[in-house]
Amino acid sequence: METIELRGCLEDELIEICKENGLKRFRASQLFQWVQQKTVRTWEEMKNIGDRDRQILRSRLSLYPLGKVREQRSEDGTRKYLFRLNDGETIECVLMDYERTRSRDRHTVCVSTQVGCAVGCAFCATGLQGLQRNLSVGEIAGQVLDITHYVRQEDPDFQVTNIVFMGMGEPLLNYDQVLKAIQLLNHEQGQNIGMRRMTISTCGVVPRIIQLAKDNPQVGLAVSLHTAQDEVRNDLIPMNRRYPLDQLMAACREYTHVTRRRITFEVALTTENARREEAEALARLLNGQFGHVNLIPVNPVVGTGMERPNPEQIKRFAQVLEDAGISVSSREERGADIDAACGQLRRLWEGEL
Ligand code: SF4
């Protein structure tokens, strides 16, 4: 009989499996808490589950913790992990600003949702690799569980508080798995991370943005916008050819209408686009949107030819938006010394860079 991935199961699903196998209901709760709350990585660690029941459960459920291939620590406290999946593929996952935010109790993890990515954005190291496959629910949630496991070895009270689905892959192209992973990570007997502390970042998969507003209006949405011009965006984000800016803006308006939640519009700034005319076009495009612009000066990525603008250029760009009444901030570069641009660590490891 084929086994089911334990770390991808909701408590209700474990209750069903226990019932089918003649086990008491409380076993499901124990199992769920061991895996989702205490982040154990082996069956042997589940001390209150007896040998007989454990054998039965092992015949139905598989437990695949992610193998830590490499961990890099940045001077700013960012930790970047390269994890190996059960089939040998690798993914990246980043714990942002850990050292600096230690006292503030805000620990954000940037999670991957696919191995590689089919979208192929021009500025993105992951996009250069193409899509290998979607991640399963257990592999998505497992990144948070395993980072928690590793950090707790040094800091037993460590708890992830915020999640951004902004790592490798386009989350809305692995929609069902991402939504279920969110449900798991939100579960009060598990990591208990508030829905409003989780944010999905998309390059603009229009039908899924509208669907997300209905399926989970609590979770946050960030849109990788980058430019207000279709012809430029077509080259930067090939998905724009399918869902151009007028469709994307209409979907964003519908999203905010249904959810009453503000959207974060991400704009990666390079020496190419950090110009006054670009900022003015952006201000016109976002006129009337319930949103906030997050400017992200890019980390240079080998193979893309992109360069980071200087602080003065960034300031001038932000000022144009502010003058137009648009809320704007500039995200600090994190982990620049550890290749924290998405996909870079994996490519380094595999000898592509
Ligand atoms: S930026 Fe995101 S959507 Fe674009 S190629 Fe990279 S991982 Fe894919």
Side-chain angles (χ1 to χ4, degrees):
M1 190 188 295
E2 210 176 308
T3 55
I4 300 163
E5 197 182 6
L6 171 54
R7 302 209 300 181
C9 286
L10 291 163
E11 194 178 13
D12 287 350
E13 293 168 318
L14 294 177
I15 290 172
E16 267 314 296
I17 290 169
C18 284
K19 215 157 83 183
E20 284 165 21
N21 289 277
L23 301 180
K24 295 261 174 17
R25 185 191 167 100
F26 69 85
R27 280 279 179 251
S29 302
Q30 289 174 330
L31 202 52
F32 189 83
Q33 283 178 28
W34 277 119
V35 173
Q36 298 292 341
Q37 188 184 80
K38 297 174 185 149
T39 68
V40 302
R41 291 161 53 89
T42 63
W43 289 95
E44 288 68 33
E45 289 169 276
M46 303 180 201
K47 300 288 183 214
N48 58 0
I49 300 180
D51 282 348
R52 181 187 150 271
D53 286 5
R54 198 179 298 168
Q55 277 315 109
I56 295 170
L57 290 167
R58 285 183 88 144
S59 69
R60 293 296 316 279
L61 295 158
S62 49
L63 180 53
Y64 294 130
L66 307 176
K68 186 169 74 169
V69 178
R70 188 184 279 189
E71 178 185 333
Q72 289 185 306
R73 297 187 182 192
S74 164
E75 282 171 8
D76 68 12
T78 296
R79 295 184 182 187
K80 185 159 183 170
Y81 297 84
L82 184 72
F83 286 128
R84 190 173 301 287
L85 308 173
N86 194 41
D87 62 358
E89 294 284 4
T90 53
I91 52 164
E92 296 170 0
C93 190
V94 178
L95 168 61
M96 293 192 272
D97 264 355
Y98 173 56
E99 297 300 340
R100 216 156 27 141
T101 57
R102 214 166 172 159
S103 56
R104 282 198 270 135
D105 290 335
R106 181 188 169 100
H107 303 308
T108 304
V109 169
C110 177
V111 167
S112 290
T113 55
Q114 297 180 308
V115 183
C117 182
V119 178
C121 298
F123 49 84
C124 170
T126 303
L128 296 174
Q129 304 160 22
L131 176 70
Q132 270 74 58
R133 68 172 174 87
N134 282 331
L135 293 185
S136 65
V137 179
E139 289 168 337
I140 298 169
Q143 295 165 63
V144 176
L145 303 181
D146 286 324
I147 283 193
T148 302
H149 166 83
Y150 286 117
V151 180
R152 278 184 185 167
Q153 290 174 342
E154 302 166 25
D155 176 2
D157 297 327
F158 174 79
Q159 188 73 46
V160 173
T161 60
N162 294 64
I163 296 174
V164 288
F165 294 90
M166 209 177 268
M168 299 169 68
E170 164 52 63
L172 295 187
L173 293 180
N174 190 15
Y175 186 82
D176 293 340
Q177 282 77 1
V178 169
L179 255 61
K180 190 174 173 193
I182 287 172
Q183 237 184 307
L184 268 175
L185 293 164
N186 173 248
H187 199 289
E188 58 180 14
Q189 297 301 319
Q191 289 294 303
N192 197 17
I193 300 169
M195 285 289 181
R196 287 175 169 260
R197 289 171 173 262
M198 295 190 252
T199 301
I200 291 178
S201 173
T202 179
C203 67
V205 189
V206 161
R208 293 296 198 203
I209 291 174
I210 295 164
Q211 195 182 338
L212 180 67
K214 294 171 189 138
D215 291 345
N216 191 335
Q218 294 288 310
V219 76
L221 181 69
V223 172
S224 299
L225 188 58
H226 303 315
T227 172
Q229 301 174 61
D230 271 321
E231 58 281 18
V232 179
R233 201 166 187 268
N234 286 344
D235 290 340
L236 278 181
I237 304 175
M239 178 73 74
N240 195 68
R241 294 200 179 98
R242 191 144 168 219
Y243 304 116
L245 285 166
D246 59 339
Q247 289 186 34
L248 179 56
M249 289 300 109
C252 290
R253 277 191 292 275
E254 186 166 343
Y255 175 89
T256 50
H257 176 74
V258 173
T259 63
R260 309 269 168 218
R261 297 212 63 192
R262 190 171 81 157
I263 294 175
T264 301
F265 292 102
E266 309 273 2
V267 176
L269 280 189
T270 66
T271 42
E272 284 271 299
N273 70 348
R275 290 177 294 111
R276 181 174 187 88
E277 313 80 74
E278 183 65 41
E280 286 170 350
L282 207 54
R284 283 194 296 277
L285 183 79
L286 294 178
N287 185 25
Q289 288 282 358
F290 183 38
H292 171 85
V293 173
N294 192 12
L295 300 175
I296 312 160
V298 295
N299 290 334
V301 177
V302 179
T304 64
M306 301 281 173
E307 279 183 45
R308 187 182 164 82
N310 63 45
E312 199 44 49
Q313 281 175 296
I314 299 165
K315 218 167 130 190
R316 281 201 299 267
F317 194 95
Q319 194 60 51
V320 173
L321 294 172
E322 265 178 34
D323 291 348
I326 292 170
S327 155
V328 58
S329 59
S330 174
R331 189 206 289 173
E332 281 174 57
E333 186 180 27
R334 293 190 180 102
D337 53 325
I338 58 164
D339 302 317
C342 75
Q344 284 190 25
L345 185 68
R346 180 171 185 262
R347 291 175 71 220
L348 266 176
W349 179 253
E350 292 175 357
E352 288 178 42
L353 293 179

